[in-house]
Amino acid sequence: DMDMDMGDGMLSGSDMRTLAKATGEEFDRLWLTGMISHHDGAVEMAEDVLEDGKSADVAALARDIIKAQKAEIATMKGLLS
């Protein structure tokens, strides 16, 4: 199984090999789980920008990313249910 405790949301080489060997429902589950983690990483990075950034344009982009990524996370979690 994939280690989903990835702070940066990136899949390790081991995770990618596990995904490459998977098929069917197992592949779907592993892919969705990895993508949820990846999207969580994007949300974290965007939230950091809102805390530490100074540019209004960058902050607006960060807010758009947070909104879009959270919506996609909700959809993917629904697919896992």
Side-chain angles (χ1 to χ4, degrees), residues 4-72:
M4 299 319 303
D5 188 27
M6 300 172 291
D8 62 2
M10 298 301 292
L11 296 176
S12 71
S14 174
D15 295 332
M16 291 300 290
R17 287 187 292 279
T18 299
L19 183 62
K21 292 177 188 172
T23 59
E25 288 183 22
E26 180 188 17
F27 176 89
D28 293 345
R29 182 184 54 78
L30 291 171
W31 185 84
L32 285 167
T33 304
M35 287 305 295
I36 289 167
S37 179
H38 185 67
H39 281 49
D40 280 336
V43 169
E44 263 183 58
M45 289 172 52
E47 288 172 343
D48 288 345
V49 166
L50 292 178
E51 288 180 27
D52 301 326
K54 296 188 191 283
S55 168
D57 290 336
V58 173
L61 177 60
R63 283 190 293 276
D64 288 346
I65 288 170
I66 291 168
K67 181 179 178 184
Q69 297 295 290
K70 284 186 174 185
E72 290 181 14

